[in-house]
């Protein structure tokens, strides 16, 4: 088990990662961050809106399912949002920004899943 700071440092160790944050999507506040080159507080607040919007759409469609992750592909970056599935992690997500030319999406998703599962809140 890893605490939030240790977990964000582990996310930053993923190939190509430039920034990571553990975020409360009820408030948009960060619980832990790691990395530089990106305003993680602003990214956390903005991606909170992405998560909330997707949840509203799923609710409107009557989908009885849960979000594992959300992928946003930019020209030079990949942004991943992974919702925390642990019972005491309800309302949290992990956000990571990756340099597209230095990362492997499949490996990053797999590593992020393992980090999320080891997270102790």
């Amino acid at each position: 088990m890893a605490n939030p700071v240790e977990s964000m440092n582990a996310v930053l160790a993923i190939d190509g990662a430039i920034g990571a944050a553990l975020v409360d999507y009820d408030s948009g506040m960060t619980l832990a961050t790691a990395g530089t080159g990106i305003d993680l507080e602003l990214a956390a607040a903005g991606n909170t809106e992405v998560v909330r919007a997707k949840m509203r759409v799923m609710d409107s469609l009557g989908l009885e399912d849960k979000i594992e992750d959300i992928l946003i592909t930019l020209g030079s970056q990949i942004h991943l949002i992974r919702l925390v599935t642990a019972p005491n992690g309800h309302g949290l997500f992990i956000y990571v920004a990756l340099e597209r030319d230095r990362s492997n999406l499949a490996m990053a998703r797999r590593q992020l899943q393992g980090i999320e599962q080891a997270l102790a809140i």
Side-chain angles (χ1 to χ4, degrees):
M1 299 305 264
N3 69 39
V5 172
E6 293 167 339
S7 295
M8 293 308 97
N9 288 330
V11 172
L12 203 58
I14 295 172
D15 284 343
I18 56 176
L22 179 63
V23 183
D24 177 330
Y25 65 76
D26 289 326
S27 67
M29 301 293 289
T30 58
L31 281 72
T33 62
T36 60
I38 188 168
D39 184 339
L40 292 168
E41 298 291 329
L42 180 60
N47 285 302
T48 293
E49 294 304 316
V50 171
V51 172
R52 288 178 185 164
K54 186 58 189 172
M55 289 183 164
R56 282 192 304 270
V57 170
M58 289 176 58
D59 188 51
S60 295
L61 293 171
L63 298 177
E64 298 292 329
D65 212 341
K66 62 182 177 178
I67 300 169
E68 286 185 19
D69 56 33
I70 297 170
L71 169 67
I72 301 167
T73 308
L74 306 175
S76 63
Q77 295 180 350
I78 297 170
H79 294 206
L80 283 172
I81 300 167
R82 171 119 189 139
L83 273 69
V84 176
T85 58
N88 59 350
H90 178 73
L92 302 178
F93 67 86
I94 298 171
Y95 164 76
V96 60
L98 304 156
E99 291 181 347
R100 192 169 178 176
D101 61 349
R102 290 187 41 228
S103 61
N104 177 311
L105 178 58
M107 289 299 296
R109 288 184 71 222
R110 182 77 175 130
Q111 289 173 286
L112 194 57
Q113 178 186 19
I115 293 165
E116 178 261 324
Q117 290 174 347
L119 176 64
I121 306 297

